[in-house]
Amino acid sequence: MKKKKKGAAHHVSQLLDVSLDMVADVPRITMNDNRELTVENYKSVEGYEPEEVRLRCTKYRITASGSDLSIVAITDEEILIQGNIATISLT
């Protein structure tokens, strides 16, 4: 059998008992229905309009498109977007 290589982030994740996405600095996207979107581990808001919210992450740009979009809560690590979310894209 082949052994799978596990990166340093995986080992740190297990050692500290935290999720891999927090150690590897990748975004965690949670969506409740099409009305609420939470993104953790984002870097900055690149654009904000009622039809589109663009977020910069370490390796990606996340774009939420729809109508009546609003940023309801925002911290350095997490953002909550509400509205009629039609699409989410990663570029």
Side-chain angles (χ1 to χ4, degrees):
M1 275 196 196
K2 285 185 176 180
K3 275 190 173 180
K4 287 187 177 181
K5 281 189 172 182
K6 295 182 180 177
H10 179 78
H11 291 294
V12 171
S13 167
Q14 286 186 327
L15 181 66
L16 298 176
D17 194 27
V18 296
S19 65
L20 182 59
D21 60 325
M22 296 302 286
V23 175
D25 199 27
V26 295
R28 174 182 281 193
I29 301 169
T30 307
M31 190 163 176
N32 296 321
D33 196 26
N34 70 328
R35 303 283 305 156
E36 188 173 88
L37 173 70
T38 303
V39 179
E40 299 174 57
N41 298 331
Y42 77 101
K43 296 297 179 192
S44 64
V45 177
E46 286 190 338
Y48 171 55
E49 300 171 15
E51 297 82 27
E52 184 177 86
V53 178
R54 293 181 312 279
L55 305 174
R56 169 59 59 192
C57 299
T58 302
K59 296 181 182 181
Y60 307 100
R61 174 184 292 134
I62 299 173
T63 303
S65 301
S67 61
D68 300 320
L69 300 180
S70 62
I71 297 174
V72 190
I74 187 168
T75 67
D76 288 343
E77 292 97 21
E78 184 176 8
I79 188 166
L80 172 62
I81 301 165
Q82 290 182 339
N84 296 311
I85 302 164
T87 62
I88 300 172
S89 64
L90 299 172
T91 54

